[in-house]
Amino acid sequence: MEMTKWTENPIEASLLNLDSLAQNQVARDCFINIMRFMNDYPLVDGMEATECASFLLATCKAHPQLRDEIFCQLVKQTTDNRSDDPESCMRGWFLLSLFASYYRCGDQLLPHLKMYLETNAHLSRAPHQAIAAQCLHNLQQTIKYGGRRCMPSKSELTAALCGRLANHLLCMLPGGVPARITVTSSTVIRDAVDQVCETLLLKSYLENLEFSMYSIIGPDDYAQLQEKAYLMDVMTDLHNRKQDFFFLCQRTSWIFPLHFDGNKSYINLMYQQTRPDYLDGYLLAIPSKILPNHTREEIVLLAVLQIQASEMKTIPHQKDLEIFIPVNAQRLSNISLSHWTSQVNDYLKNIRNLTPHECQIKFLEILSRWSKFGSTFFPIKSVSDDKVRGGSCLLAVNKQGLYFCSRKTNETLMYFPFHELLSARQRMHRSGTQFLDVKCGTLVRHKILELRTDKAEDLGLLIDQYIRVQKTVAENGLP
């Protein structure tokens, strides 16, 4: 029994039968580093306790066969701990928690390890109850997602040494609204997105799948994050590359309908995310350079609703109106900006009693009837199909499928519904040019579209997301 309990002395041999004397020596070195981290063995001059944790993680990355051994060593040193140092046992649990977020044990050891963690997580009066529960959660995350991949930064190790199990991070929402999320060593992107979605009070958990997180480095330098990636790994990688960044969470697929009875956070997010694409003119097709009367009236009403939602106190002048009218509508030669201004000011008198929240809802109600609403837009440099004249176009991806649109007029040149999309594969030419090969049609008769775009990875992820969400919705019997 003593072999499974804390000891004040270094072990003379590994706890498990290992293949060689060399492995046995490495196991003994690991045990000494565990003792050093726990203040049960003196550090070498100039050495820091965080280096002991780094040694342990790096060793098990290089020698996977030692992971069971290290789990057993950590269990041993946190069992019946009688160290003279009052921090020893808790430090051992902190190290076990960190280790469990990187590695899993073998199948033979797993039930015993889980029982040990579950037992300690239910010891209501034990000071390590919370950290034992976190250990169990980290292990479950590792089994599910494969474990952390980036070695932790010194600041993360220092936080672990101080017993900080979680940190708070601000994630931005469209419109610059911050959302606070809780991050632990084993938090994956999907967990972080789900936390944001909780504040939006969505009708179904399946709707969470329509939201994604991005790392934003600059206006044109951003990347959609894989939902199974560990958030701390992403942050560590960006810090190692000395990048200034922030995270943005937004809706990326639009299969579920809008909830106009949603809370203010939800409505504001939908409004702030939709508005830029509308103002950039992506939602508005003008093939004949003439706007139908009903579209012109809707543009006026949408401008009025934006003005009222912004709580502008004064009557807008001609120059003010530029930020409320789509750019391609402003370029029409037969409608001057002064004409837009006159019509907007006439409309404003009729809606002064609406609150900003009500204006946002009205704005979304009108725009949601437009055919390109809920689309994500990608600039495409070339398409291997003669229907796209000149090759260059704007690709709109929404729940209906892929719309290849004219850059000049936004009219649809070519369309493929999602049920005809068989696969999407990203590849990079030796010159560094990115491509996405999209297979369309049926298994018997199909064609491959070669799309050249700088956002091939993001486009591929979005197509996969739509296919995955639509499949999940169908499996759950939802319309």
Side-chain angles (χ1 to χ4, degrees), residues 433-465:
T433 304
Q434 295 185 54
F435 290 91
L436 191 75
D437 293 333
V438 181
K439 185 184 289 187
C440 308
T442 66
L443 291 174
V444 177
R445 187 176 182 180
H446 55 262
K447 62 187 293 186
I448 295 178
L449 288 177
E450 182 184 82
L451 313 183
R452 180 161 65 94
T453 172
D454 293 334
K455 292 298 176 182
E457 182 177 3
D458 290 338
L459 176 54
L461 285 173
L462 181 59
I463 291 173
D464 287 344
Q465 181 178 9

Side-chain angles (χ1 to χ4, degrees), residues 269-315:
L269 186 152
M270 296 295 105
Y271 172 78
Q272 297 292 356
Q273 183 174 336
T274 303
R275 189 167 168 260
D277 284 342
Y278 166 71
L279 294 175
D280 285 340
Y282 293 156
L283 305 182
L284 181 63
I286 316 177
S288 61
K289 297 185 179 181
I290 297 175
L291 281 176
N293 288 335
H294 73 276
T295 304
R296 186 186 305 187
E297 290 174 3
E298 285 188 328
I299 291 174
V300 171
L301 181 53
L302 289 168
V304 169
L305 292 169
Q306 291 174 79
I307 292 167
Q308 187 72 357
S310 69
E311 299 184 90
M312 183 182 286
K313 302 299 181 184
T314 58
I315 295 176

